């Protein structure tokens, strides 16, 4: 994996010159290469601290999570509550905090029309991402998916915005039964999507059917619960990428809510048993902080 200078993201290219441009190109190239063979896990941090920790563990790329971030802000996971501006600020923070490629969870593009999606995709790319996801869900329970012709036009518009902005990966998200999923994923692949996103399937037969339907394009499977499938099991089905959405954030919320409830209802500190130690976490960030400070000093001296 290439090593990148901290904080160098595309939204700073205009002021930091050629080094920033080359840095972002390296991230995009590294991200594209990850999809060419094998399978990798792309976990979803909800803030800068969790992003830097996941990078320290050695994950080669990270993805944002609208759900995880929204919950951390006391908001529901919806475009009405988590606005485009707020999500873009979060995406830029994550992209600027780590040295690995970032894929953005960009909801449905914050626009119904193809042009609206394209305009917002351009802004998302400028936040420093190497890829982004666009859902085809409307947010309307009575009509949860865009009609396929409009959904395809939205994908095509996003693809064109990405090409004009020199980004690499567009990922399309949908929520429906297997047959409709196959139909839509194939249409989105033809419209220019580079990676197809399949949230929800945990049955090996369904996962394999989706992989086969879009070959040779890679597919991302979202895993948000323990379904007795390992990374190796999913990789063996032909999946190239595995994301976890808001699951890591929910794992953190699970520990927090259970400890807080015990403290309030029982006056018990039992929820604090088996915690990761303060020295372990603080020590990790002390080392990380010193390394970044040293890198910046060397960069300034050069």
């Amino acid at each position: 994996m290439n090593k990148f200078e901290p904080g160098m993201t595309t939204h700073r290219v205009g002021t930091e010159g050629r080094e920033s441009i080359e840095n972002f190109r390296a991230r995009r190239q590294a991200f594209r290469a990850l999809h060419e063979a094998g399978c990798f896990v792309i976990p979803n941090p909800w803030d800068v601290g969790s992003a830097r920790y996941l990078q320290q563990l050695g994950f080669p790329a990270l993805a944002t999570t609208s759900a995880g971030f929204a919950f951390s802000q006391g908001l529901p996971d919806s475009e009405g509550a988590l606005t485009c501006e707020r999500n873009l600020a979060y995406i830029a923070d994550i992209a600027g905090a780590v040295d690995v490629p970032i894929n953005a969870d960009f909801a449905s593009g914050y626009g119904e029309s193809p042009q609206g999606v394209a305009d917002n995709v351009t802004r998302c790319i400028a936040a420093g991402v190497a890829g982004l996801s666009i859902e085809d869900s409307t947010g309307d329970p009575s009509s949860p998916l865009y009609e396929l012709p409009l959904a395809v036009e939205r994908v095509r518009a996003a693809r064109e915005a990405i090409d004009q902005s020199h980004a690499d990966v567009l990922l399309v998200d949908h929520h429906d039964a297997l047959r409709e999923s196959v139909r839509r994923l194939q249409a989105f692949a033809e419209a220019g999507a580079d990676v197809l996103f399949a949230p929800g399937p945990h049955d090996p037969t369904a996962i394999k059917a989706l992989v086969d339907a879009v070959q040779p394009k890679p597919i991302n499977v979202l895993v948000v619960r323990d379904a007795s499938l390992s990374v190796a099991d999913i990789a063996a089905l032909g999946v190239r990428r595995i994301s976890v959405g808001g699951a890591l954030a929910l794992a953190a919320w699970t520990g927090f809510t259970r400890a807080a409830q015990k403290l309030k209802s029982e006056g018990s500190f039992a929820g604090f048993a088996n915690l990761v130690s303060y020295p372990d976490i603080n020590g990790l960030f002390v080392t990380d902080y010193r390394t970044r400070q040293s890198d910046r000093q060397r960069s300034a001296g050069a």
Side-chain angles (χ1 to χ4, degrees), residues 29 49 79 89 103 120 153 156 162 192 247 267 293:
Q29 291 167 0
E79 289 188 29
N103 190 86
N120 290 329
E153 285 304 310
R156 185 172 289 116
I162 286 172
Q293 291 294 97

Side-chain angles (χ1 to χ4, degrees), residues 96-144:
V98 297
D99 309 323
V100 296
I102 295 297
N103 190 86
D105 174 358
F106 203 48
S108 64
Y110 294 92
E112 180 176 348
S113 71
Q115 186 59 54
V117 171
D119 291 343
N120 290 329
V121 164
T122 299
R123 298 176 66 200
C124 188
I125 293 165
V129 302
L132 59 94
S133 65
I134 298 292
E135 300 174 358
D136 66 344
S137 57
T138 64
D140 180 359
S142 65
S143 181

Side-chain angles (χ1 to χ4, degrees), residues 3 7 86 98 115 128 180 196 198 222 243 264 270 273 292 301:
K3 175 66 176 176
R86 204 160 187 173
V98 297
Q115 186 59 54
E180 181 65 11
L196 290 306
L222 174 68
S243 59
K264 180 63 174 67
R292 286 185 285 127

